[in-house]
Amino acid sequence: MADYKLSSGGVRRASDGAFIPDDPRNRDWVAYQEWLTAGNLPDPEFTAEELAAQAARAVENAAVTTLDTEARADAIFTTLKPATGAQIATFVSSQFPLFTAQQRAIVRMLLHIAALTLRRGGV
Amino acid sequence: MPSVVLAHLSKTMKTSFAIAKASLVASGLTAARTFTLQDGDGAIALLHQVPSNNTIINGNMRIAQRGTSFAAVASGSYTLDRWQYAKVGTMVHTISQSTDVPTLAQAGQLFTNSIQLALTTADTSIAADDALHFSQKIEGFNWAPLAQRGVIVSFWVKSGLTGIYCLSLRNGGADRSCVQEFSISAANTWEYKTVTFPASPSAGTWDYGTGIGVYLTFSLASGSNYHTTAGTWQTGNLAATAAAINGVNTGAGNFLFTGMQLEAGAIASPFAARSFGAELALCQRYYQVIQCGDRMQAAGANHFAQTPAPFMARMRAAPTAAITAGTRNNLGAGFPSIDSITDVGARFTIQSNAAGDAYALNDTVALTAEL
């Protein structure tokens, strides 16, 4: 491992993990430049292992996000399927208080249709 | 413009005034300037009329952001704020903020702290390039008002070894130096010293901006490579005379000083103690510690939260930042991080390792923009 590791906007010092910004007035940056002039090379910002780990985490994160979306949809369907007309009306009133009565009626009708469809195994 | 009213002064006081004024004019004040004696205190009142701008920061050793004791100090390390230890040789020191100070009766004002260099390993044979230098690097912006003028350094000092010591001014380009001697008369006794320096030359590599304007350096030991004659500006990086003692020799014990002041002219004014807050703010231009933290309820891994980290004082340059952990949970490797650093602030970032509560709380960040 080299004494320094590249980082966005500067370098990280291996000895203490300090971030040294790219500023010619910073004496640590000047020391790093002297270290480079002496023929040394810093470590890359990310090693091959770190890049592979990042890629793996990105795939995992995407999978988790997809699962989360499906889980939320399942939860809504599970709740809606046995709902009575009164429960749907209460839900619409609480969730859409700014809607007009006509708009709330349309939403109630759509949710009724969805609930009936679910009960008949349509989804 | 202040003016002097001589009508009510005694002949002795008029004479004192004339001598003092001549010294002030010789030190760089224009002859057109005059001074008011506000009361009957004669020359003392006159001195108090001279603006006291101490260019030294933390001259009374009260600011200790990095800690109050430093064992086996490595060369190049900063100790109490603004004071840097540099050595070549086998000598070893423990440096601490001390409460050993000159008395009120001695100093005429209360000092609460001094800095103590306690010799734990002696260097009995100083090679040509050996040195023990203890310095304050003065930023070019602050040195510029004193440049090319006569200056005076005043301080209280106490040392285990009597003899000749040296104080020097050296420019940032390391191509101009001026060395002056002072003597410790009695061992382990507080003594007040004043050391004058002639006007610095315009020639040489001088920085009057954010770089090193000048080093003010105590030499406790300097090998022959650093030797020169006292009293005049010389070409080179020089810090002592051949007459100086080896201040890190066996039996040297402790070297302490406080009340350090650097100002224009040939007459030392009383040490001008700034408020603690004002002194701390001056130090924070070069070093400060801030507290940072962030927290989020992460929906998964690799989620970011960022928060601005403003600095308490504008720093000399974009500082180096070192984080010390506080309380942390569920963070990815390498986090928290601090980046996008400028001289006024930075960005503090956390990244979740998994879904759930992710935080870094009460982390501290040490910011260094020393010269």
Side-chain angles (χ1 to χ4, degrees):
Chain A
M1 187 174 74
D3 292 350
Y4 298 94
K5 182 177 185 178
L6 294 176
S7 187
S8 176
V11 293
R12 290 196 184 280
R13 187 165 53 199
S15 61
D16 59 358
F19 178 81
I20 301 170
D22 175 1
D23 184 341
R25 298 173 301 167
N26 181 309
R27 70 189 195 117
D28 294 319
W29 180 258
V30 172
Y32 167 65
Q33 294 301 313
E34 291 170 351
W35 182 83
L36 286 179
T37 303
N40 298 297
L41 285 175
D43 286 337
E45 182 170 8
F46 300 110
T47 63
E49 292 78 12
E50 286 170 331
L51 289 171
Q54 283 179 7
R57 278 204 302 274
V59 170
E60 180 186 346
N61 200 35
V64 168
T65 302
T66 303
L67 288 172
D68 283 351
T69 304
E70 290 176 356
R72 282 197 295 273
D74 286 347
I76 291 170
F77 291 151
T78 303
T79 304
L80 186 60
K81 190 174 178 179
T84 64
Q87 288 171 327
I88 289 174
T90 301
F91 174 78
V92 171
S93 295
S94 65
Q95 296 298 312
F96 307 102
L98 299 181
F99 278 24
T100 63
Q102 186 178 9
Q103 288 169 328
R104 282 201 292 269
I106 292 169
V107 173
R108 278 203 310 273
M109 183 180 70
L110 290 172
L111 290 177
H112 271 301
I113 292 168
L116 288 170
T117 305
L118 287 167
R119 285 201 283 267
R120 291 176 183 173
V123 176
Chain B
M1 173 81 63
S3 62
V4 168
V5 180
L6 293 174
H8 304 295
L9 298 180
S10 68
K11 184 178 178 183
T12 303
M13 291 173 72
K14 286 178 182 175
T15 304
S16 297
F17 167 74
I19 293 170
K21 183 182 177 186
S23 298
L24 292 167
V25 171
S27 70
L29 293 172
T30 64
R33 288 190 178 179
T34 54
F35 302 88
T36 298
L37 298 180
Q38 299 282 10
D39 50 34
D41 288 337
I44 299 301
L46 171 67
L47 293 181
H48 286 180
Q49 293 304 307
V50 179
S52 178
N53 291 316
N54 187 6
T55 305
I56 296 294
I57 298 172
N58 200 24
N60 55 3
M61 313 300 169
R62 288 198 296 172
I63 313 298
Q65 294 186 87
R66 294 176 179 84
T68 56
S69 186
F70 309 84
V73 183
S75 183
S77 298
Y78 278 85
T79 57
L80 301 190
D81 278 63
R82 304 296 295 120
W83 292 100
Q84 188 188 32
Y85 177 88
K87 70 169 183 174
V88 177
T90 59
M91 67 290 277
V92 179
H93 283 89
T94 292
I95 297 178
S96 57
Q97 185 185 44
S98 174
T99 54
D100 183 351
V101 293
T103 65
L104 179 62
Q106 286 175 311
Q109 64 177 291
L110 181 66
F111 287 107
T112 56
N113 295 108
S114 64
I115 191 166
Q116 173 178 286
L117 284 74
L119 184 67
T120 57
T121 302
D123 188 343
T124 58
S125 179
I126 302 300
D129 62 349
D130 280 2
L132 191 295
H133 294 163
F134 199 66
S135 305
Q136 179 160 140
K137 296 176 187 171
I138 296 168
E139 187 176 346
F141 280 135
N142 297 337
W143 169 247
L146 303 185
Q148 299 173 33
R149 303 170 66 185
V151 297
I152 186 165
V153 182
S154 54
F155 54 96
W156 285 89
V157 63
K158 177 178 177 178
S159 178
L161 284 182
T162 60
I164 294 174
Y165 290 77
C166 288
L167 195 64
S168 64
L169 292 175
R170 297 175 290 153
N171 68 352
D175 59 5
R176 292 293 185 281
S177 308
C178 186
V179 174
Q180 292 286 37
E181 297 175 339
F182 65 93
S183 291
I184 299 291
S185 307
N188 299 315
T189 304
W190 282 106
E191 298 178 14
Y192 181 68
K193 305 294 177 187
T194 60
V195 178
T196 58
F197 289 86
S200 57
S202 58
T205 307
W206 295 89
D207 190 321
Y208 299 124
T210 56
I212 300 171
V214 76
Y215 295 75
L216 174 63
T217 300
F218 277 110
S219 169
L220 271 62
S222 287
S224 58
N225 287 352
Y226 293 98
H227 287 175
T228 186
T229 54
T232 56
W233 283 89
Q234 309 279 355
T235 301
N237 184 24
L238 308 161
T241 64
I245 67 165
N246 175 7
V248 294
N249 210 343
T250 304
N254 298 331
F255 183 88
L256 302 93
F257 66 96
T258 191
M260 192 91 180
Q261 183 152 286
L262 169 63
E263 58 195 314
I267 300 174
S269 58
F271 180 80
R274 288 180 278 257
S275 71
F276 186 87
E279 199 76 47
L280 177 61
L282 292 175
C283 293
Q284 287 173 332
R285 178 168 171 78
Y286 307 93
Y287 179 87
Q288 59 179 276
V289 180
I290 60 173
Q291 183 171 311
C292 292
D294 209 342
R295 187 169 195 165
M296 65 176 162
Q297 195 66 38
N302 302 334
H303 286 229
F304 286 92
Q306 297 181 321
T307 188
F311 302 160
M312 290 181 286
R314 187 177 199 127
M315 302 196 75
R316 183 189 63 83
T320 298
I323 301 176
T324 299
T327 306
R328 296 175 175 178
N329 184 57
N330 187 26
L331 298 180
F335 290 92
S337 69
I338 192 155
D339 51 30
S340 301
I341 299 176
T342 69
D343 56 1
V344 294
R347 185 174 61 190
F348 186 81
T349 304
I350 62 172
Q351 183 193 57
S352 61
N353 187 53
D357 194 6
Y359 54 80
L361 303 175
N362 305 323
D363 280 30
T364 55
V365 183
L367 303 161
T368 305
E370 289 286 3
L371 287 158

